[in-house]
Amino acid sequence: MKANYKFSNLCGTVYRQGNIVFTPDGSSVLSPVGNRVSVFDLVNNKSRTFPFENRHNISAIALSPDANILVSVDEEGRALLVNFKRGTTLHHFNFKKPVEDIQFSPDGKFIAVTHGPHVQVWKTPNHLLREFAPFVLHRTYTGHHDDVLSIRWSADSRFFLTTSRDMTARLFTLDPLEGYRPKTFTGHRDIILRANFSSDQKSIYTVSRDGAVFEWCQKPSERSAEDDSDEEMPSDNEPIGPDAIALTRWGIAKRHYFNQAHTKVTSCTFHPSSNLLVVGFSSGVFGLWELPDFVNIHTLSISQERISSCAISPSGEWLAFGAKKLGQLLVWEWQSESYVLKQQGHYFDMNTLSYSADGQNVATGGDDGKVKVWNTTSGFCFVTFSEHTAAVSTVEFAKQGQVLFSASLDGTVRGYDLIRYRNFRTFTSPTPVQFSALAVDPSGEVVAAGSTDSFEVFMWSVQTGKLLDVLTGHEAPISCLAFSPTGNILVSGSWDESVRLWSVFGRSRQVDPFMLGSEVLAVAFRPDGRELAVSTLNGQIAFWDTEKYKQTSLIEGRKDVSGGRKQDDRVTAANSASGKAFNSLAYTADGSCLIGGGNSKYVAIYDAREGVMVKKFQISENLSLDGTEEYLDSRKVGEAEIDDRGDESELEDRLDTTLPGAKNGDMSKRKYRPEARTKCVRFSPTGRSWAAASTDGLLIYSLDDAITFDPFDLTVDLTPSSILATLQRKEYLKALVMAFRLNEKPLIQRAYESVPPSDINLLARELPVFYVSAMLKFVAGHMESSVHMEFDLLWVRALLLAHGRYLRDRSTEFASVFRGLQRGISDFQTAIAKTSDENTSTLTYLVDQAKLR
């Protein structure tokens, strides 16, 4: 089995903190998710997450006007210079202080960065050249007496406005101007959040946290002594030329107030060409005002928590909002008053996940009591079920049909219909218990759940909803359940150091206990049902033969899954007892490998037959999470338990309402940092990807076939040039076999697409059986991104007709290939149906016109 899995996408989180940015064409929005950056394509309805990681959570991002360079800065001031189109890191740089805002100049030549009470302007590096020191400092600007909060450039890139916590705004020139001193704008009674130029650059608008908007224009050249009014009208003899902004004598022309009771302004942005001011408040309300008349276009409540960031698209049509506490990302079209995008991750930890039978959807359950279903292709959540009133412990798809089951600590097991999006069945026990494990039999007619209170396993009928049986025998809470793929055996694991095999459908009602040396945490059946993998608290994975009822092998995984050292640990990571066991196990579709994850930053893949580790993945390098560092900095050990909430700007963020010593629950309020851990791992049914429910969200890793050189029948005369020469001679079968032997995807694709459609049936019949599996696997992967629908379907039909008996006899071995084909065909069907529906009226019109003729 190949283990070249690469990070593919992050689905479970859409926004964490920092600023939201639109791309210059306005079709996509960039959102910081922890220490990564996600891109949401609003036109094609897709999302992707860049593979690069910052050292800490990202606090500010900026995209160049030509969309070539992305700069992401973390909480410590460390920045990454990234090629946006390729997603590759070009350079690491340290600004050495936390950065509040970073902005590219409109001409793209300079980058302005806040640096405490100062502002630094750097020359934009070249994204096409690899330089040793690409960041060159242009100038440092001083004058503010407290931290600078925002920077806004003028349209000609010669001036910029800054706002600060010292309740002033300042106007700086990029290059020194003779006789010019930076202008200071005072008069606000609270922190100024944003200052902006108008489209004609004859007015400046400043917005403060207390809800005041000041309009600044040129002072009149002559003032009468008796004119004591604060509101001043601009004069006619205004400065002209490129330095007009600097030569203008600015004064307050108008004062406006939002008049939102008991709220403060938390974010705002301005669109100069349409004179629209977008403001987000601490109450979750946003407003849209037109300047300079200060006309309120509309006000809408979009969240229950304060809006942390807002942005407006270059065309001025779409507004994007991010709510830090709830993890919400919203894109609103203000003219039609409709949502373009509305996404929210789990409020607390993500506990569990499950793949659908075709691998297209992933269901997740969290501590917030919600069950969410995500599309693996688009990366978006398309339905959320919130019927549970406590944490969801397990979710499981039925093997057949569009049915999803979930178990919760509220004492219910619920069944959801994914066609009508409703909760069609609720299962409860005779006495209230908390359910910690769930299993669904292969037929989808029986569901079982294990409890933590009564140590019993309950079984219900899905069709009738009635309780079928209660299995007793365990002496401690039940941690895991699993049905055999054959459907006749139910396995339960418990903290009483035993695994029990229940013959639930047989007349004998046989129970076979397996005793282990430690508490059982997870169990997993091999796809053929003949082997059982059991993870225990001492870090071991034991393999049992379910037919002979004996242990066949053992893997010592303590050192493989051992994570980093937490800040409050008194011993090193190597000597710590916590986090050295697998909480979740899953087999690959062919049963050759086993994946495991636990309360650490590592996920390991083992060869099930040899018992050796194939590869180990580190799910996060985010130092903002606890447990990602192997060794702690001794200079910071003494500060581990200091509550840094006093540094927050908002009063409600400084208040501590949690119970003493509480570490779980409300992550935004607890005193301890979230830990890097994996609560659940699952392989996709197609075998081409696996997912992990982690602290960062739902991480998806996929096979990276493009860069792997993995020949399996290499000879001296087998070269890319010889394959191309064979193609030119129109020896398609020979070229195809040679490409599979060399196993380079671009060559296979070229040979595959060179085959004439009329020859497909002949080539499929003549293709050696040895290459049938590889051919089907390639076609399944090709269908995911190909536009040649009919060509791919012809190949699938020809291969299945020519080698159907061979494939049927080895259906278990090729299960992942079949699922990949099923997924590709389903995608084709959906695309064709959508195209047909969109063109129904046109086709009807053409048919009617043909009849008239």
Side-chain angles (χ1 to χ4, degrees):
M1 174 197 161
K2 293 183 180 179
N4 55 319
Y5 290 93
K6 300 289 184 182
F7 174 79
S8 172
N9 204 357
L10 176 62
C11 287
T13 310
V14 292
Y15 175 76
R16 280 286 172 85
Q17 65 177 25
N19 60 312
I20 301 170
V21 176
F22 273 98
T23 53
D25 60 1
S27 63
S28 301
V29 62
L30 278 67
S31 172
V33 284
N35 66 333
R36 301 179 188 267
V37 177
S38 290
V39 182
F40 298 92
D41 190 335
L42 305 176
V43 176
N44 299 317
N45 194 36
K46 285 189 176 181
S47 70
R48 61 189 175 96
T49 305
F50 288 113
F52 67 83
E53 291 186 74
N54 285 70
R55 287 169 58 92
H56 293 80
N57 287 333
I58 295 174
S59 60
I61 58 174
L63 184 63
S64 62
D66 57 2
N68 284 326
I69 297 177
L70 172 68
V71 180
S72 64
V73 189
D74 64 20
E75 297 168 332
E76 302 292 322
R78 296 179 182 270
L80 292 181
L81 183 72
V82 179
N83 185 321
F84 176 72
K85 293 180 179 178
R86 296 186 60 88
T88 55
T89 303
L90 303 177
H91 191 68
H92 296 253
F93 189 75
N94 188 2
F95 288 114
K96 299 181 180 178
K97 277 190 178 182
V99 173
E100 295 286 345
D101 195 13
I102 178 169
Q103 295 291 331
F104 278 90
S105 61
D107 59 8
K109 295 181 180 179
F110 297 94
I111 307 173
V113 184
T114 64
H115 193 259
H118 306 153
V119 176
Q120 293 181 340
V121 174
W122 301 78
K123 295 180 180 179
T124 303
N126 191 334
H127 69 284
L128 299 176
L129 298 177
R130 298 300 297 269
E131 300 173 296
F132 177 72
F135 280 88
V136 178
L137 182 63
H138 175 69
R139 275 188 70 193
T140 300
Y141 302 83
T142 62
H144 283 292
H145 304 291
D146 207 339
D147 290 345
V148 179
L149 295 180
S150 71
I151 304 169
R152 282 298 175 270
W153 288 86
S154 62
D156 56 3
S157 302
R158 300 184 69 244
F159 307 92
F160 60 89
L161 285 165
T162 62
T163 64
S164 170
R165 291 184 182 275
D166 61 6
M167 297 184 288
T168 65
R170 287 178 180 261
L171 175 63
F172 294 95
T173 60
L174 178 64
D175 297 309
L177 197 62
E178 186 176 355
Y180 176 78
R181 294 180 62 186
K183 302 292 178 65
T184 304
F185 301 86
T186 62
H188 283 282
R189 298 183 178 181
D190 205 343
I191 296 172
I192 301 179
L193 296 179
R194 187 65 53 89
N196 288 91
F197 291 100
S198 63
S199 56
D200 58 3
Q201 299 190 4
K202 294 181 180 179
S203 300
I204 291 175
Y205 304 103
T206 57
V207 183
S208 63
R209 191 173 61 176
D210 59 358
V213 180
F214 288 3
E215 180 184 351
W216 305 76
C217 297
Q218 184 193 4
K219 289 182 179 180
S221 56
E222 297 178 358
R223 293 184 59 184
S224 57
E226 63 271 9
D227 185 11
D228 297 329
S229 173
D230 288 336
E231 296 190 0
E232 300 149 0
M233 300 302 295
S235 65
D236 295 331
N237 50 354
E238 298 172 348
I240 58 174
D243 299 331
I245 297 177
L247 300 177
T248 301
R249 297 177 65 246
W250 297 97
I252 299 176
K254 294 180 182 178
R255 288 184 172 92
H256 306 288
Y257 299 93
F258 295 120
N259 295 325
Q260 294 282 333
H262 309 293
T263 60
K264 291 186 177 181
V265 177
T266 54
S267 60
C268 64
T269 188
F270 181 71
H271 191 252
S273 58
S274 59
N275 287 324
L276 291 177
L277 178 67
V278 186
V279 181
F281 296 95
S282 57
S283 59
V285 175
F286 87 90
L288 188 63
W289 280 267
E290 186 177 5
L291 299 176
D293 298 330
F294 200 69
V295 177
N296 185 6
I297 297 175
H298 70 227
T299 305
L300 184 71
S301 176
I302 57 174
S303 178
Q304 282 116 16
E305 298 294 336
R306 66 190 184 102
I307 299 173
S308 309
S309 176
C310 61
I312 188 166
S313 63
S315 63
E317 297 174 352
W318 291 345
L319 315 176
F321 302 96
K324 173 181 176 182
K325 186 174 180 180
L326 295 179
Q328 287 179 322
L329 179 64
L330 311 167
V331 179
W332 174 262
E333 188 174 19
W334 65 272
Q335 290 172 330
S336 64
E337 297 190 6
S338 60
Y339 284 108
V340 178
L341 175 71
K342 188 177 183 181
Q343 292 286 303
Q344 179 178 348
H346 286 284
Y347 184 45
F348 298 135
D349 281 355
M350 187 183 296
N351 291 333
T352 178
L353 71 95
S354 177
Y355 267 101
S356 62
D358 57 2
Q360 290 186 336
N361 300 324
V362 179
T364 59
D367 279 343
D368 56 359
K370 293 181 180 179
V371 176
K372 292 178 176 286
V373 186
W374 309 79
N375 185 285
T376 56
T377 304
S378 67
F380 288 126
C381 171
F382 61 89
V383 62
T384 301
F385 299 105
S386 54
E387 284 80 5
H388 285 296
T389 57
V392 177
S393 54
T394 315
V395 294
E396 195 74 39
F397 273 99
K399 299 296 185 291
Q400 300 173 3
Q402 296 289 320
V403 180
L404 173 67
F405 296 95
S406 64
S408 170
L409 299 182
D410 63 2
T412 63
V413 174
R414 296 180 182 268
Y416 302 100
D417 183 354
L418 294 183
I419 296 177
R420 297 179 180 86
Y421 300 139
R422 64 189 180 95
N423 175 207
F424 73 91
R425 193 76 76 214
T426 302
F427 309 98
T428 57
S429 57
T431 57
V433 294
Q434 292 183 320
F435 293 119
S436 57
L438 177 72
V440 183
D441 81 314
S443 67
E445 296 180 357
V446 176
V447 60
S451 72
T452 58
D453 307 325
S454 60
F455 316 147
E456 296 169 334
V457 178
F458 300 87
M459 294 177 61
W460 297 272
S461 169
V462 175
Q463 291 186 353
T464 63
K466 293 183 179 180
L467 183 66
L468 298 178
D469 202 355
V470 180
L471 309 178
T472 59
H474 283 294
E475 300 173 356
I478 295 171
S479 57
C480 48
L481 286 175
F483 269 102
S484 167
T486 58
N488 57 349
I489 296 177
L490 174 66
V491 169
S492 61
S494 170
W495 292 0
D496 61 5
E497 303 182 2
S498 72
V499 170
R500 291 176 178 264
L501 275 67
W502 313 80
S503 299
V504 289
F505 302 122
R507 290 186 176 181
S508 62
R509 314 288 290 177
Q510 183 180 355
V511 180
D512 298 295
F514 295 161
M515 299 307 298
L516 296 104
S518 185
E519 291 84 349
V520 177
L521 300 179
V523 294
F525 268 106
R526 201 169 64 185
D528 60 3
R530 297 179 179 177
E531 187 177 74
L532 178 69
V534 182
S535 168
T536 54
L537 190 60
N538 57 8
Q540 296 178 343
I541 301 176
F543 295 89
W544 295 76
D545 190 322
T546 57
E547 294 179 348
K548 300 179 181 178
Y549 299 106
K550 67 176 184 178
Q551 184 175 336
T552 56
S553 60
L554 185 72
I555 294 177
E556 288 284 353
R558 285 178 60 85
K559 293 184 178 180
D560 300 333
V561 76
S562 175
R565 183 175 179 179
K566 302 180 182 64
Q567 282 209 350
D568 55 352
D569 283 351
R570 294 292 181 259
V571 295
T572 61
N575 296 326
S576 175
S578 64
K580 291 190 175 181
F582 294 98
N583 290 340
S584 179
L585 295 176
Y587 271 96
T588 55
D590 58 0
S592 61
C593 289
L594 184 76
I595 188 170
N599 288 337
S600 74
K601 59 180 178 177
Y602 293 116
V603 172
I605 295 181
Y606 292 93
D607 187 302
R609 294 182 180 87
E610 302 295 332
V612 296
M613 186 172 67
V614 178
K615 194 168 184 179
K616 185 162 69 170
F617 300 89
Q618 183 172 341
I619 60 169
S620 179
E621 297 179 358
N622 189 358
L623 298 182
S624 297
L625 301 178
D626 219 358
T628 52
E629 289 183 286
E630 297 292 339
Y631 304 98
L632 295 183
D633 189 346
S634 59
R635 295 170 296 179
K636 299 179 181 179
V637 169
E639 304 172 3
E641 298 182 7
I642 294 179
D643 185 10
D644 58 355
R645 196 172 289 104
D647 298 335
E648 298 289 343
S649 58
E650 299 292 338
L651 175 63
E652 55 266 24
D653 291 336
R654 294 197 298 268
L655 298 176
D656 183 13
T657 58
T658 57
L659 294 173
K663 293 185 64 174
N664 288 325
D666 190 350
M667 290 177 60
S668 65
K669 294 294 185 184
R670 69 185 189 182
K671 295 183 179 180
Y672 290 83
R673 297 190 301 171
E675 300 175 6
R677 55 188 173 185
T678 307
K679 289 197 170 183
C680 187
V681 289
R682 290 291 182 267
F683 258 105
S684 167
T686 61
R688 296 187 56 81
S689 62
W690 58 268
S694 70
T695 311
D696 283 332
L698 181 64
L699 300 171
I700 297 179
Y701 286 74
S702 300
L703 279 176
D704 186 12
D705 294 327
I707 59 172
T708 304
F709 179 68
D710 184 22
F712 58 86
D713 192 8
L714 191 62
T715 58
V716 176
D717 57 344
L718 186 61
T719 61
S721 58
S722 65
I723 295 174
L724 297 177
T726 307
L727 273 178
Q728 289 180 352
R729 295 195 300 269
K730 297 186 177 180
E731 299 177 9
Y732 301 114
L733 180 60
K734 184 178 179 181
L736 200 58
V737 172
M738 291 172 67
F740 275 116
R741 287 170 60 190
L742 195 59
N743 205 15
E744 285 197 15
K745 190 174 180 180
L747 287 174
I748 298 174
Q749 182 168 342
R750 183 163 181 177
Y752 171 78
E753 294 179 350
S754 300
V755 177
S758 58
D759 295 349
I760 289 177
N761 289 327
L762 176 62
L763 264 66
R765 286 197 303 269
E766 298 297 327
L767 184 70
V769 175
F770 185 71
Y771 297 103
V772 169
S773 173
M775 185 68 190
L776 283 172
K777 190 176 295 185
F778 171 78
V779 174
H782 190 262
M783 292 169 75
E784 293 181 3
S785 57
S786 171
V787 295
H788 308 293
M789 286 189 180
E790 185 182 5
F791 188 75
D792 288 337
L793 292 174
L794 286 173
W795 266 108
V796 172
R797 180 176 178 273
L799 288 169
L800 293 179
L801 286 175
H803 305 280
R805 186 180 297 275
Y806 171 78
L807 295 170
R808 186 185 63 185
D809 295 341
R810 295 163 177 79
S811 58
T812 304
E813 181 181 348
F814 298 140
S816 61
V817 178
F818 292 150
R819 293 191 188 103
L821 290 174
Q822 180 188 4
R823 176 178 177 177
I825 294 171
S826 300
D827 288 344
F828 281 176
Q829 180 187 3
T830 304
I832 293 171
K834 183 179 178 182
T835 305
S836 302
D837 291 342
E838 291 175 352
N839 297 307
T840 301
S841 302
T842 306
L843 293 172
T844 306
Y845 172 77
L846 293 175
V847 171
D848 291 342
Q849 292 298 315
K851 289 179 180 178
L852 291 175
R853 292 179 184 176

